[in-house]
Amino acid sequence: MNHNVEIKYPAIFRDEGTYWDVRFPDVPAAQTFGASVQVAADNAANALAIALFEQDPPQASNPQYWRLASTEFVVWITMADVEFGPGSESPKPMS
């Protein structure tokens, strides 16, 4: 089934001192990091796209009741107009 919709998942960002770790509780395969919050967010969107390619996206959780450490916060990572699911074509290389 193909999905051409907005995909949005909550990600937990954790300050590791020298980098930011990012994980998606709903998509465990989408883990990444970055030297800054912005780089980590960009990497998170890419990791999410790769983890969900050729799969039906799972239901996103509501992070309202998640228990976070003092070094963690939640960011919603959004991808719009992305085609997911079996039968999706691989992205074309940029020229």
Side-chain angles (χ1 to χ4, degrees), residues 44-63:
N46 291 332
L48 188 59
I50 291 166
L52 293 177
F53 188 71
E54 293 196 341
Q55 310 185 33
D56 288 327
Q59 181 76 23
S61 296
N62 180 349

Side-chain angles (χ1 to χ4, degrees), residues 6-14 21-32 40-41 43-45 47-49 51-52 57-68 72-79:
E6 180 178 272
I7 303 293
K8 185 162 113 174
Y9 285 97
I12 297 174
F13 283 61
R14 178 192 295 252
D21 179 67
V22 183
R23 62 189 169 90
F24 292 88
D26 300 315
V27 187
Q31 294 185 3
T32 190
N43 292 346
L48 188 59
L52 293 177
Q59 181 76 23
S61 296
N62 180 349
Q64 180 178 359
Y65 301 107
W66 288 356
R67 295 184 138 194
L68 302 174
E72 296 178 327
F73 61 91
V74 173
V75 173
W76 284 87
I77 302 296
T78 304
M79 297 179 300

